[in-house]
Amino acid sequence: MEGKVRIGFYALTSCYGCQLQLAMMDELLQLLPHAEIVCWFMLERDSYEDEPVDIAFIEGSVSTEEEVELVKKIRENAKIVVAVGSCAIHGGVQSWEKDKSLEELWKTVYGDGKVKFEPKMAEPVENYIKVDYRIYGCPPEKKDFLYALGTFLVGSWPEDIDYPVCVECRLKGHPCVLIEKGEPCLGPITRAGCDARCPGFGVACIGCRGAIGYDVAWFDSLARTFKEKGISKEDILQRMKMFNAHNPKLEEMVEKIFQGVEE
Amino acid sequence: MKNLYLPITVDHIARVEGKGGVEIVVGDEGVKEVKLNIIEGPRFFEAITVGKKLDEALAVYPRICSFCSAAHKLTAVEAAEKAIGFTPREEIQALREVLYIGDMIESHALHLYLLVLPDYLGYSNPLKMVNEYKKEIGIALDLKNLGSWMMDELGARAIHQENVVLGGFGKLPDKATLETMKKRLQEALPKAEYTFELFSKLEQYEEVEGPIIHMAVKPRGDVYGIYGDYIKVSDGFEFPVEDYKKHIVEKVVEHSFAKHSFYKGEKPFMVGALPRLVNNAETLYGRAKELYESHRDLLRPTNPFANNLAQALELVYFTERAIDLIDEALAKWPIAPRDRVEVKDGFGVSATEAPRGIVTYALEVKDGRVAYADIITPTAYNFAMMEVHVRMMAEKHYNDDPERLKYLTEMVVRAYDPCISCSVHVARL
Ligand code: SF4
Ligand code: SF4
Ligand code: SF4
């Protein structure tokens, strides 16, 4: 890209962790001479949501009617739209109960209280606009940002990872928490890139980077193992929905996992 | 009649998170209305975790707020452990507090240097200060890096710490890493003190001074810290954390997805570093105690801007405190990371001191699942009080240039450190 790249970082409904991760990177200081921050409310007081940018980073899920309008506006103004993090890409943890009605959720938290804004069920950005690239994770790893920014700045295009966390886990030589401790690790179906961070601490993966493409993921072997460990289909489904609730093929695939496996 | 509309983005309130605004309406008689609008979508954390497996709910709660993710994780875990009748070993508790202090150091450093200081120095964004304020930016990065590294080592990462589990940790750092941590904390002390000195010179905006009710957790063991079993109010009243609903009411307000909290029915109150100092200063020790004694004139309970300096004082205190807690853990080395826990049915409440004030979790556990959840975050506690102070600032300055009024009200909000930067969003209406 020629000259300074105009970038915008836009937040929808989220925990602000993705932008915090980016803001905390000392490497950001090296990037600055090459970039102009047009919009980034977390750091820049003079931020404008409706100015043209080369790259728009969007964090958060679409959770109000106002945010629907905002993402459309961002798309119109941006050459490249990058969805950052599980909220923007998958709807985020706030989608976990996507099948419950909004009224029911509202009642549980707010009772009969009324608010003058229009809430809606959390959705991925892609349900409303075309997204050109994704930076996965909740939050993404710092190297994910470096890789994406680096490739953009040299005029190239970052590529998706199409192998699961298990691959990195095996390469690192961590003990397998699924096989050895019987914990419901989602490593076999989750997009790699975190160096198997959680299994490295002896904790099962919760799938925060989202599921990899279903024709690649190792659903079948996972099915057998889950079954052997006595984990029910419903529990597996709930666990996968934490970061994949909007995946239209999820139920079908979980069904497939348990096919031929007696419950 | 002159009508002025000022949208300011305020972020990170539980159940809501993110975008908010300040709306100030001025009429002929002066300020008519002041509202903090919270316009970001609700995330229903309490509702979506009901019926879910306890460990999975505990993985989701930190995602309420990234700046306080460790606070959410550790408070939720304590509430859950109380519910199932489990008490962590002392050394595990000490290391959890070290992790929590990592969050405190990172959060205070980011807030003070990146979010507050640019206003005082006349910059719209902290990155622009790099050339002229090399030393300050250097200190900010060092403290921030120290805090996030502590969370990486003890929590698996600085944001959303999956390494904290029921019964302890997934894995603990080795002894050498803890010794390095102690050394890095020792090296950070002069930087924390420099921060205190720097912030002791800032303008106090006395126009917003007036009586405030302060609320903070009464520190366990009478040592200034993060955990406690009682909540202390500056009017002298104390109550067990389990009784929080008896003394604090939450109300849905029409202009906000975040609820407002009131003490004794209708009194707004403040939580955060300043309330902690106001209520618990006698439990400080070390260098922080000396600094507190010598700067009492600046740390005035009546001025919300003193919250900035109170945070700087806490940078000094918690750095020293973490060193002591690491020593405590090292004295018991080697430490088993985790105890077996049996997930029994029960109900537990935990209130701890997040970087920006009390955070409360009440969890009921049944058959290994969450049966009830109630969460109140610091910013939600603070909202009503914040509105009062924004109003005071507006009443004093409504005749000023709108840009200046905007800047001043924004600074009031920022002094509360409502979970993230509260930058003015100039809406082009
Ligand atoms: S993806 Fe995760 S870290 Fe990023 S904003 Fe959403 S909840 Fe926060
Ligand atoms: S299942 Fe989990 S622990 Fe086992 S290899 Fe895969 S990622 Fe690692
Ligand atoms: S191991 Fe799983 S949950 Fe942990 S960071 Fe990697 S993808 Fe996320």
Side-chain angles (χ1 to χ4, degrees), chain A residues 15 24 41 44 109-110 197, chain B residues 12 124 144 156 257 259 423:
Chain A
C15 84
M24 285 204 308
F41 285 113
E44 174 56 80
V109 177
Y110 296 89
R197 186 178 280 279
Chain B
H12 279 261
S124 68
K144 177 270 291 175
F257 278 126
K259 296 180 199 173
S423 34

Side-chain angles (χ1 to χ4, degrees), chain A residues 138-150:
Chain A
C138 178
E141 301 290 319
K142 287 182 180 171
K143 66 178 183 194
D144 295 330
F145 277 112
L146 282 178
Y147 173 55
L149 291 169

